[in-house]
Amino acid sequence: MRHRRSTTALALGIALSLPAHADEGMWMPSQLPQLGKTLREAGFKGDPKTLADVTAAPLSAVVRAGGGTGAFVSQDGLILTNHHVAYGVIQYNSKPGHNLIDDGFIAADRAGELPANPDFRVLVTVGYDKVTDTVLKETTGKTGRAYFDAVDRASKAIVAECEAKGGVRCSVANMYYGTDFYRITQLELRDIRLAYAPPRAIGNYGDEIDNFMWPRHTGDFTLLRAYVGKDGKPAAYSADNVPYRAPAHLALAKDGPRAGDYAMLAGYPGITYRHRTAAEFEEQIAWTLPTRVAVFDQLIGVVEAAGAKDADAKTRYAAQLQSLKNQRKRAAGELEGLRRSDAVRVRAEDERGMLATNAAAKERADIDALAASIAGGSAMRERDLLLNLFGAQSQLMRTAITLERLRLESAKPDAERENGFQARDHAMIEGVLKQVQRRYSPEVEKALLTILLTRYQQLPDAQRLPAFDTAFGRTPATLRQALDTLYAGTKLGDEAERLSRFAAAREGKPLAADPLIDLAATLVPVQLALENERKTREGEQLRLRPAYMRTLFAWRQQQGRALYPDANGTLRVSFGKVDGFSPRDGVQYTPVTTAAGIVEKNTGTAPFDAPKPLLDAIAKRDFAGTEDPVLQTQTVNFLTNLDTTGGNSGSPVLNARGELIGLNFDSNWESVSASWMFDPRYKRAVHVDMRYLRWLMGKVYPAPHLLKEMGAP
Amino acid sequence: MRHRRSTTALALGIALSLPAHADEGMWMPSQLPQLGKTLREAGFKGDPKTLADVTAAPLSAVVRAGGGTGAFVSQDGLILTNHHVAYGVIQYNSKPGHNLIDDGFIAADRAGELPANPDFRVLVTVGYDKVTDTVLKETTGKTGRAYFDAVDRASKAIVAECEAKGGVRCSVANMYYGTDFYRITQLELRDIRLAYAPPRAIGNYGDEIDNFMWPRHTGDFTLLRAYVGKDGKPAAYSADNVPYRAPAHLALAKDGPRAGDYAMLAGYPGITYRHRTAAEFEEQIAWTLPTRVAVFDQLIGVVEAAGAKDADAKTRYAAQLQSLKNQRKRAAGELEGLRRSDAVRVRAEDERGMLATNAAAKERADIDALAASIAGGSAMRERDLLLNLFGAQSQLMRTAITLERLRLESAKPDAERENGFQARDHAMIEGVLKQVQRRYSPEVEKALLTILLTRYQQLPDAQRLPAFDTAFGRTPATLRQALDTLYAGTKLGDEAERLSRFAAAREGKPLAADPLIDLAATLVPVQLALENERKTREGEQLRLRPAYMRTLFAWRQQQGRALYPDANGTLRVSFGKVDGFSPRDGVQYTPVTTAAGIVEKNTGTAPFDAPKPLLDAIAKRDFAGTEDPVLQTQTVNFLTNLDTTGGNSGSPVLNARGELIGLNFDSNWESVSASWMFDPRYKRAVHVDMRYLRWLMGKVYPAPHLLKEMGAP
């Protein structure tokens, strides 16, 4: 595969023309009309202009669902997303003797649909507007923390104004690293219910062994439904709610994908780093990724050991373990891929070329200052990684820190509070606090914290913090003693104890005493101090990176290439084709897998324990209507060269006519490094073939009412 | 891939017509003219009749070399074979500071060529004649041991008569399990020298990790040269010997293989079991293979542990370890493949169909008796496996048993001696005895025997033997004590001690006392008793299997398929094409690999430590003359669907014009089970592309004189 080059001149910023890498690009919808010629050459049959409007079909059907993406597939709010995106919803509804993870679930009718965990959200993007001038208005002459605060204040004001009309959540998205800002307006649907899930051994067939792998044979899909109040407005769960009337929904294609077919997807890719500096590439490859792999290995070991001894702990930590394994595998794959693509050298040469050719003196000064700021952040990297995981991988410790922080923030006027602690965030915080005890076991939490704090204890003095030393001491014995005392005494494992303190914290009132709360009172000030350092650095980089980006725009323009903003959780569109690849010399991966592969992999033991109804149906070859006419068998998954990253899970994959042919759920191992570097030889996305969904829902675990609602051909 | 069917009627025995499986078949040369139409349809451009004569080109160029195959590639006796076939030769010439395994070897001229280990032989087939009537003449009315002895006596008489003229070794080959017998006459070349070997990291690139694997990137070739006395007759090594004038030699093709090209190979496949009974298939899959894997794992563990502690032991056992690993991997692969091909069921159904349709009453009675005889042999299978390994995996123990057995046999008239102990075998025995101390360490031998004898001690009483119990006791402590005493006292580690006893044994004279010799005196009578049981059973099966084979012939005839004899170490020809395959759903293996794969696999650590000269040459892309015109790079290995098994290592692979395009060196993992069942979906053979050889010898480790001698294009 070779890059296609174009010599068409490009304008600066988003007024871009033909991309040189037709397959690379997570385009903002507003960029697509300018890419019209490329889109048509790639095979798109629709009008590129229709892809620019996030409030009209097809993009208005594409929603943010949980941590991923989903799409409306009926006018009554039915949402197609991944099994792994909805995993928490399925787990939340599982009880001993009623294991929806293992057994799957089919709601017999709408009354039978099961409410999701309270913090599960679906967001419908209804506005995507450029607000750069407003955001940067007060930054003139500022640097560091002041620059950060100016951007932050302006952003919050925009959000407050946007949300004032009610019923929507707003945010300001930073595009091109401070170069542009967009106001994203989203309807927040809070009553989400489970309509259909295949058994684990279909929805997660192959589990960690096949995760990130190709060839793949996973039915990684689930159907949810969004409900709203009788007034049609978003509302928390109520039995009286009614299905949400979707602004648009996608239609299932009759035919399936074939090699070379045009394909596109839309979704909410979380974060990419493709336009980071060469120094940041070097740090990622030489330090960050190897370290993450090592730490995750330890954390996974602890959770697995606990699960092996305690079935209850195993259930409670199932989602966290899956997430840890995913992150570990992703880090390892990213490292392997970046090395294979020789990313350090390639990015460094690219940057050298850019600087030699394009950097004006003023830009060059900013770029040098940016490099110095980045180096300053690296000096504390071990500590920052551990403290980040200290909150992210705990339940009660995080609860205590959240409550104490909420108490402090709530003493300020709402507009001055830290993001995530404003009045608008209270419902989300409450949702998180409510589910804690379903996902918590004191022994596992202590073991996880022991791993992190032991590593912390070994850091050089320059990176260590007095409050942590006071709390946990400097030796394994003091650490064990401290954790034992904290977890023996805390009452935060009790939902009522958490919620009563939440009620106080949101009012800025003192919190009832508790060992973890008392500890948080000493740690949160440290957190605030570190946050100030971070924001100062971020402010500097927010000020300085646009110089780097402008120089990069100019350099790409010389190369005849368009530029998209790095992913930031906003709605993006990618287009390309159905395409296999060669992972290594002598091996070619075909782009479509079939039911034969399910049988080949089946061992009868998890994760390759295909359910008997599935194996029987394959043996019967009862594929009429969904089998591939050429392969003459049931297809399962397929590959495209679409540009995706985490957050694109659940993205609908459309054909040239905009019909739904697939559901994105993974990347191949060779492309995990695409979050930093897009290598067209290896970057592929893995999708569920919609014919497999139609077959499963038609013949294997039938839900004819849902298929009919989706207008299945 | 589908079987091609033909409805052409077949005659019985070797008078066969078109094979239905064009790709399956290790054909006797005499069968090929009758397969002419199929050969031509497959793409062969020559006259099929030329393939029937083993004394004319091209088959007279194909020799048995060591445990594999080789081919003359110049008129001056230059022989092309595998690095792994000549591994013992290379190892024999390696010394500390002069490591030909690691460094490779290029003889600057003929005087610089290095003599092989004394027991290395090259055999040139000069006769291949049917002698069925003579062999079976005295069997009428006999059964069991008497039947065996009648065949054995007649065979020995044929061999003795054949060898009487001198200069040749003769044997009688049993085709179709006692149905037909052929006299094989072979010139025995005893002065073989090493002319060229690539470094280990080319000749065995990937080692055990890649062994049996595809895609492959191994330069598994070596050049030897055969020498004879000045009178042109075979002779032991002498500095005065002259290069052997080859009866024919193969010419290197200019062009390389491409997918779909006709290909054929000739060689000495060792043994296959394709025409065994359904019960034998069942035992192989349910018991023999799993047990072999378990025992080999233990033996490998012992040798590796010793090598890790002792560099000298590591060198001494390098060849044995490689052989053990090969056998272990082969057993595991065979098991996996037979299960994948559902061989137990397929063979059972085939046999049921055969018996229902074809078995005449007389044949049926013999077939039932055959089944009973096979079941009788199975009853002692654990013991027989262990005693077999007891000799095969030891050096001094085997030496003692060999000497004692030789002493007993030598007391008989030569014609009545057991095969392998006749006067004609003395030189071979002496060669084996001479190399013992290069491949022996007392600690490793004791450890290996401890594994085997510990298993033996755990057998049920019915399988145990008083002499072994007396020698080694029944407990771990007695076993350890016995081995320590034996190996502390034996002098057989000394070459002079072995050879002086050899001189006595070959005369039937008493052997000088030695702990191991004294032990052998008690074990050999047991060996003889077991041998009598085995020969009785073999005699019965020799008598009874032809009924099974006749019924199978008739059944295959009904199916429109020709039948070749199972492999038995005689010269055979296979034809088919260059062909990739799909190992599993979603994956396609391309049939030709390239130098890019060497770089991809290279880690710098063995076995993926490609030498710097090779990596540099790849980086320079200096492939002029040997690169593939379509792939535009240097090719390395390729795949065909040719029918091969162990013993085919080193087989020359020819194109439609009979020119040398490849050197067979392995099978893919998926086809290891082909020794029992040929599954055309998976059976492939792995070859060195002759363009890789030409490039290595031309540019990387140059030997222009040898390339010129080979007439390289």
Side-chain angles (χ1 to χ4, degrees):
Chain A
M1 214 169 137
R2 301 274 163 200
H3 301 180
R4 277 185 269 156
R5 299 270 168 184
S6 158
T7 54
T8 311
L10 302 176
L12 190 61
I14 61 158
L16 298 165
S17 189
L18 283 185
H21 294 62
D23 311 317
E24 175 177 355
M26 299 172 172
W27 306 103
M28 294 189 290
S30 57
Q31 291 183 281
L32 291 166
Q34 290 144 340
L35 298 168
K37 184 160 175 285
T38 310
L39 270 165
R40 280 187 298 271
E41 282 174 1
F44 181 56
K45 302 294 185 200
D47 179 353
K49 289 198 188 70
T50 62
L51 299 177
D53 186 355
V54 300
T55 66
L59 290 190
S60 59
V62 182
V63 300
R64 184 146 176 73
T69 297
F72 291 118
V73 288
S74 89
Q75 64 176 11
D76 287 347
L78 200 62
I79 296 166
L80 175 65
T81 187
N82 291 141
H83 186 267
H84 79 267
V85 167
Y87 191 81
V89 178
I90 303 168
Q91 183 188 38
Y92 182 83
N93 283 289
S94 291
K95 299 167 191 69
H98 187 65
N99 190 332
L100 304 193
I101 298 172
D102 282 354
D103 302 339
F105 175 71
I106 306 174
D109 52 25
R110 292 185 186 176
E113 293 172 350
L114 301 172
N117 38 314
D119 59 331
F120 194 87
R121 294 284 183 278
V122 165
L123 303 174
V124 186
T125 300
V126 294
Y128 201 121
D129 305 291
K130 193 170 175 179
V131 292
T132 309
D133 293 346
T134 315
V135 171
L136 296 182
K137 199 167 50 183
E138 302 293 336
T139 59
T140 315
K142 295 196 170 80
T143 64
R145 178 74 200 233
Y147 192 100
F148 181 94
D149 288 342
V151 168
D152 191 48
R153 261 194 311 275
S155 298
K156 281 179 176 154
I158 290 168
V159 168
E161 183 195 357
C162 174
E163 293 185 352
K165 60 191 173 215
V168 294
R169 282 187 73 83
C170 302
S171 58
V172 172
N174 167 356
M175 303 287 184
Y176 305 109
Y177 295 105
T179 308
D180 275 323
F181 293 87
Y182 282 72
R183 181 184 59 220
I184 309 293
T185 312
Q186 293 176 312
L187 211 60
E188 184 184 41
L189 302 174
R190 288 178 283 154
D191 182 357
I192 308 300
R193 303 186 196 174
L194 180 64
Y196 186 100
R200 170 198 55 74
I202 290 176
N204 191 19
Y205 191 60
D207 194 24
E208 287 305 316
I209 296 174
D210 268 10
N211 189 17
F212 292 123
M213 291 296 159
W214 186 260
R216 197 66 170 278
H217 300 87
T218 308
D220 190 356
F221 73 94
T222 288
L223 287 162
L224 306 172
R225 190 187 304 279
Y227 283 77
V228 290
K230 282 185 171 165
D231 58 358
K233 292 190 175 155
Y237 170 78
S238 160
D240 294 336
N241 282 351
V242 297
Y244 172 65
R245 173 64 56 130
H249 68 274
L250 302 174
L252 287 165
K254 184 175 186 316
D255 298 324
R258 293 212 205 155
D261 280 0
Y262 173 87
M264 62 180 174
L265 65 69
Y268 293 82
I271 186 159
T272 58
Y273 309 87
R274 304 223 184 113
H275 309 322
R276 293 291 182 116
T277 70
E280 288 172 299
F281 270 65
E282 206 278 339
E283 176 167 41
Q284 179 75 2
I285 295 162
W287 183 81
T288 310
L289 292 171
T291 307
R292 285 172 66 88
V293 168
V295 176
F296 285 132
D297 276 341
Q298 289 186 289
L299 299 178
I300 288 165
V302 158
V303 177
E304 284 188 334
K309 285 187 296 193
D310 178 352
D312 187 50
K314 187 172 179 178
T315 305
R316 289 171 188 273
Y317 280 84
Q320 188 166 341
L321 180 61
Q322 177 152 329
S323 164
L324 280 168
K325 285 183 173 175
N326 255 302
Q327 290 182 73
R328 189 265 179 223
K329 197 163 179 177
R330 175 172 280 274
E334 195 174 304
L335 187 59
E336 182 181 307
L338 289 171
R339 286 175 176 158
R340 180 173 47 230
S341 294
D342 204 4
V344 170
R345 185 188 59 74
V346 170
R347 188 69 193 80
E349 282 181 7
D350 182 44
E351 188 178 85
R352 266 199 300 278
M354 173 185 98
L355 294 176
T357 315
N358 289 285
K362 156 85 173 69
E363 308 288 36
R364 186 58 187 255
D366 278 3
I367 290 170
D368 289 345
L370 172 64
S373 171
I374 290 169
S378 297
M380 298 291 160
R381 60 194 184 186
E382 287 89 353
R383 180 192 73 193
D384 291 346
L385 173 68
L386 294 172
L387 294 190
N388 179 25
L389 292 170
F390 179 77
Q393 297 298 329
S394 62
Q395 293 288 346
L396 294 206
M397 185 67 78
R398 178 175 52 194
T399 295
I401 291 170
T402 300
L403 290 170
E404 172 64 7
R405 181 68 184 270
L406 177 64
R407 184 186 69 81
L408 292 177
E409 298 291 339
S410 298
K412 304 179 201 166
D414 194 64
E416 291 174 21
R417 295 174 190 168
E418 178 67 13
N419 277 332
F421 294 94
Q422 294 177 283
R424 59 197 279 277
D425 302 309
H426 290 172
M428 178 66 86
I429 294 172
E430 185 173 3
V432 171
L433 294 177
K434 276 185 174 166
Q435 55 158 350
V436 162
Q437 79 265 35
R438 288 176 186 264
R439 302 184 173 185
Y440 164 74
S441 141
E443 290 312 314
V444 182
E445 178 148 332
K446 283 195 289 182
L448 289 167
L449 292 176
T450 300
I451 297 293
L452 298 170
L453 291 168
T454 300
R455 279 183 166 260
Y456 174 84
Q457 288 183 329
Q458 293 159 0
L459 290 181
D461 286 348
Q463 293 198 46
R464 307 198 23 274
L465 301 158
F468 277 79
D469 288 353
T470 303
F472 304 110
R474 302 288 312 264
T475 69
T478 57
L479 172 58
R480 187 168 55 245
Q481 168 82 55
L483 289 174
D484 284 347
T485 306
L486 285 167
Y487 283 85
T490 184
K491 293 178 180 135
L492 294 185
D494 178 350
E495 180 173 320
E497 297 277 348
R498 290 194 301 278
L499 293 182
S500 66
R501 285 178 181 79
F502 169 67
R506 64 192 292 177
E507 306 294 329
K509 294 180 182 164
L511 305 179
D514 181 274
L516 282 174
I517 294 285
D518 299 344
L519 172 64
T522 73
L523 300 185
V524 168
V526 176
Q527 186 188 49
L528 292 171
L530 297 181
E531 213 164 88
N532 183 52
E533 284 176 28
R534 180 177 57 74
K535 285 178 180 174
T536 301
R537 206 161 47 238
E538 280 183 18
E540 268 308 89
Q541 295 184 17
L542 212 45
R543 179 175 75 85
L544 298 167
R545 279 195 202 263
Y548 189 92
M549 291 306 299
R550 282 189 297 271
T551 312
L552 184 61
F553 277 125
W555 174 233
R556 290 283 177 268
Q557 185 172 2
Q558 284 193 345
Q559 295 172 320
R561 291 170 55 182
L563 202 70
Y564 52 90
D566 258 318
N568 57 1
T570 56
L571 183 58
R572 303 292 181 91
V573 174
S574 164
F575 59 94
K577 64 182 176 188
V578 178
D579 201 13
F581 73 104
S582 171
R584 58 188 192 278
D585 186 50
V587 181
Q588 188 67 35
Y589 286 158
T590 59
V592 181
T593 61
T594 73
I598 297 172
V599 179
E600 282 173 3
K601 288 180 178 175
N602 190 60
T603 59
T605 305
F608 294 109
D609 52 342
K612 187 164 187 308
L614 177 61
L615 294 173
D616 288 348
I618 294 170
K620 272 170 58 190
R621 296 187 56 80
D622 183 13
F623 306 133
T626 55
E627 75 181 331
D628 186 276
V630 175
L631 301 172
Q632 302 220 339
T633 187
Q634 182 61 54
T635 58
V636 179
N637 292 153
F638 69 101
L639 279 184
T640 65
N641 63 357
L642 295 171
D643 195 356
T644 57
T645 193
N648 271 121
S649 283
S651 282
V653 184
L654 310 179
N655 64 17
R657 289 175 303 280
E659 298 160 340
L660 189 64
I661 53 172
L663 176 66
N664 183 61
F665 72 99
D666 203 3
S667 292
N668 54 311
W669 180 249
E670 295 79 7
S671 79
V672 173
S673 52
S675 51
W676 285 75
M677 176 165 280
F678 186 100
D679 187 330
R681 295 171 299 176
Y682 300 116
K683 174 66 188 79
R684 296 294 180 277
V686 180
H687 317 303
V688 181
D689 191 322
M690 284 299 99
R691 293 172 296 182
Y692 185 48
L693 172 148
R694 280 162 49 202
W695 180 62
L696 288 172
M697 294 183 67
K699 308 253 181 178
V700 188
Y701 291 92
H705 55 299
L706 292 174
L707 272 182
K708 188 175 170 213
E709 180 181 342
M710 293 161 74
Chain B
M1 211 169 141
R2 300 274 163 200
H3 302 179
R4 277 185 268 158
R5 298 273 168 180
S6 158
T7 54
T8 311
L10 302 177
L12 188 62
I14 61 156
L16 298 163
S17 190
L18 285 183
H21 295 62
D23 311 316
E24 175 177 354
M26 298 171 172
W27 306 102
M28 294 188 291
S30 57
Q31 291 183 282
L32 291 167
Q34 290 144 340
L35 297 169
K37 184 159 176 284
T38 310
L39 271 164
R40 280 187 298 271
E41 283 174 3
F44 181 56
K45 302 293 184 202
D47 179 353
K49 288 199 188 71
T50 61
L51 299 177
D53 186 355
V54 300
T55 65
L59 290 190
S60 59
V62 182
V63 299
R64 185 147 176 73
T69 297
F72 290 119
V73 288
S74 89
Q75 65 176 12
D76 286 346
L78 200 62
I79 295 166
L80 176 65
T81 187
N82 292 140
H83 186 267
H84 79 268
V85 167
Y87 191 80
V89 178
I90 303 167
Q91 183 188 37
Y92 182 83
N93 282 290
S94 291
K95 300 167 190 68
H98 188 64
N99 190 332
L100 304 193
I101 297 172
D102 283 354
D103 303 339
F105 176 72
I106 306 173
D109 53 26
R110 291 186 188 176
E113 293 171 349
L114 301 172
N117 39 314
D119 59 332
F120 193 87
R121 294 285 183 277
V122 165
L123 304 175
V124 187
T125 300
V126 295
Y128 199 122
D129 305 290
K130 193 169 176 180
V131 292
T132 309
D133 292 346
T134 314
V135 171
L136 296 181
K137 199 167 50 182
E138 301 294 336
T139 59
T140 315
K142 295 196 171 80
T143 64
R145 178 74 201 234
Y147 192 99
F148 181 94
D149 287 342
V151 168
D152 192 48
R153 261 194 310 275
S155 298
K156 280 180 177 153
I158 290 167
V159 168
E161 184 196 356
C162 174
E163 293 185 352
K165 61 190 170 212
V168 294
R169 282 187 73 85
C170 302
S171 58
V172 171
N174 167 358
M175 302 287 184
Y176 304 110
Y177 295 107
T179 308
D180 275 325
F181 294 87
Y182 283 71
R183 181 184 59 221
I184 310 295
T185 312
Q186 293 175 311
L187 211 61
E188 185 183 39
L189 302 174
R190 288 178 285 153
D191 182 358
I192 308 300
R193 304 186 196 173
L194 180 63
Y196 186 102
R200 171 199 54 74
I202 290 175
N204 191 20
Y205 191 60
D207 195 23
E208 288 304 316
I209 296 174
D210 268 9
N211 189 16
F212 291 125
M213 292 295 159
W214 186 259
R216 198 63 169 278
H217 301 86
T218 309
D220 189 355
F221 74 92
T222 289
L223 287 162
L224 305 173
R225 190 187 304 278
Y227 283 76
V228 289
K230 283 187 170 163
D231 58 359
K233 291 189 176 158
Y237 170 79
S238 159
D240 295 335
N241 283 348
V242 297
Y244 173 64
R245 172 66 54 131
H249 67 275
L250 301 174
L252 287 165
K254 185 175 185 321
D255 298 324
R258 294 214 203 154
D261 280 359
Y262 173 88
M264 63 180 173
L265 64 70
Y268 293 82
I271 186 159
T272 58
Y273 308 88
R274 305 223 183 113
H275 309 322
R276 294 290 182 118
T277 70
E280 288 172 299
F281 269 67
E282 206 279 339
E283 177 168 40
Q284 179 75 0
I285 295 161
W287 184 81
T288 310
L289 292 171
T291 308
R292 285 171 66 87
V293 169
V295 176
F296 284 133
D297 276 343
Q298 288 186 289
L299 299 179
I300 288 166
V302 157
V303 177
E304 285 189 332
K309 285 188 296 192
D310 178 354
D312 186 49
K314 187 171 179 178
T315 305
R316 290 172 186 272
Y317 280 84
Q320 187 166 340
L321 180 61
Q322 178 152 328
S323 164
L324 279 168
K325 285 183 174 176
N326 255 302
Q327 291 182 73
R328 190 264 178 224
K329 196 161 180 178
R330 175 171 280 270
E334 194 173 305
L335 186 59
E336 182 180 307
L338 290 172
R339 286 175 175 156
R340 181 173 48 229
S341 295
D342 205 2
V344 170
R345 186 187 59 74
V346 170
R347 185 71 193 92
E349 282 180 9
D350 182 43
E351 188 179 86
R352 267 200 300 280
M354 171 186 101
L355 293 176
T357 315
N358 289 286
K362 156 82 173 68
E363 308 287 37
R364 186 57 186 254
D366 277 3
I367 290 169
D368 289 346
L370 172 64
S373 171
I374 289 168
S378 297
M380 298 291 160
R381 60 195 184 185
E382 287 89 355
R383 181 193 71 195
D384 292 346
L385 172 68
L386 293 173
L387 293 191
N388 179 27
L389 292 170
F390 179 77
Q393 298 298 329
S394 62
Q395 294 288 349
L396 294 206
M397 185 67 80
R398 180 175 53 193
T399 295
I401 291 170
T402 300
L403 289 170
E404 171 65 7
R405 181 67 183 269
L406 177 63
R407 183 186 69 80
L408 292 178
E409 296 292 339
S410 297
K412 304 180 203 168
D414 195 64
E416 290 174 24
R417 295 174 191 168
E418 179 66 13
N419 278 329
F421 294 95
Q422 294 178 282
R424 61 197 278 278
D425 302 309
H426 288 173
M428 177 67 85
I429 294 172
E430 187 174 1
V432 171
L433 294 177
K434 276 185 175 165
Q435 57 158 349
V436 161
Q437 79 266 33
R438 288 177 187 263
R439 301 186 175 185
Y440 163 75
S441 141
E443 289 312 314
V444 182
E445 177 147 333
K446 283 195 288 183
L448 289 167
L449 291 176
T450 300
I451 297 292
L452 297 170
L453 290 168
T454 300
R455 280 184 166 258
Y456 174 84
Q457 287 183 328
Q458 293 160 1
L459 290 181
D461 286 347
Q463 293 197 46
R464 308 202 19 276
L465 301 159
F468 277 78
D469 288 353
T470 303
F472 304 109
R474 302 288 311 265
T475 69
T478 57
L479 173 57
R480 188 169 54 244
Q481 169 80 57
L483 290 174
D484 284 347
T485 306
L486 285 166
Y487 283 85
T490 185
K491 293 178 181 134
L492 295 184
D494 178 350
E495 181 173 318
E497 297 277 349
R498 290 194 301 278
L499 294 181
S500 65
R501 286 178 181 78
F502 169 66
R506 65 192 292 178
E507 306 294 330
K509 293 180 184 165
L511 305 178
D514 181 274
L516 282 174
I517 294 286
D518 299 344
L519 172 64
T522 74
L523 300 185
V524 169
V526 176
Q527 187 189 48
L528 292 171
L530 297 181
E531 213 165 88
N532 182 52
E533 284 176 29
R534 179 177 57 73
K535 287 179 180 174
T536 300
R537 207 159 49 238
E538 280 185 17
E540 269 307 89
Q541 296 183 17
L542 213 44
R543 179 175 74 86
L544 297 168
R545 278 195 203 264
Y548 189 91
M549 291 307 299
R550 283 189 295 271
T551 312
L552 184 61
F553 276 125
W555 174 234
R556 289 283 177 268
Q557 185 170 3
Q558 285 192 344
Q559 296 172 320
R561 291 171 54 184
L563 202 69
Y564 52 90
D566 258 318
N568 57 2
T570 57
L571 183 58
R572 304 292 182 91
V573 175
S574 165
F575 60 94
K577 64 182 177 190
V578 178
D579 201 13
F581 73 105
S582 171
R584 58 188 194 278
D585 186 50
V587 181
Q588 188 67 36
Y589 286 158
T590 59
V592 182
T593 61
T594 74
I598 296 173
V599 180
E600 283 173 3
K601 288 179 177 175
N602 190 60
T603 60
T605 306
F608 295 109
D609 52 343
K612 187 162 186 308
L614 176 62
L615 294 173
D616 288 349
I618 294 170
K620 272 170 57 190
R621 296 187 57 78
D622 183 13
F623 306 133
T626 55
E627 74 181 332
D628 185 276
V630 176
L631 301 173
Q632 301 219 338
T633 187
Q634 181 60 53
T635 60
V636 178
N637 292 153
F638 68 103
L639 280 184
T640 65
N641 64 358
L642 293 172
D643 196 355
T644 56
T645 194
N648 272 121
S649 283
S651 283
V653 184
L654 310 179
N655 65 16
R657 291 176 302 281
E659 298 160 341
L660 190 63
I661 53 171
L663 177 66
N664 183 62
F665 72 98
D666 203 4
S667 292
N668 54 311
W669 180 249
E670 295 78 7
S671 79
V672 173
S673 53
S675 51
W676 285 76
M677 177 166 280
F678 186 101
D679 187 330
R681 295 172 299 177
Y682 301 114
K683 174 65 188 81
R684 296 294 180 277
V686 180
H687 317 302
V688 180
D689 191 322
M690 284 299 99
R691 292 173 295 182
Y692 185 47
L693 173 147
R694 281 162 48 202
W695 181 61
L696 288 172
M697 294 183 65
K699 307 251 181 182
V700 188
Y701 291 91
H705 55 300
L706 292 173
L707 272 182
K708 188 176 170 213
E709 180 181 343
M710 293 161 74

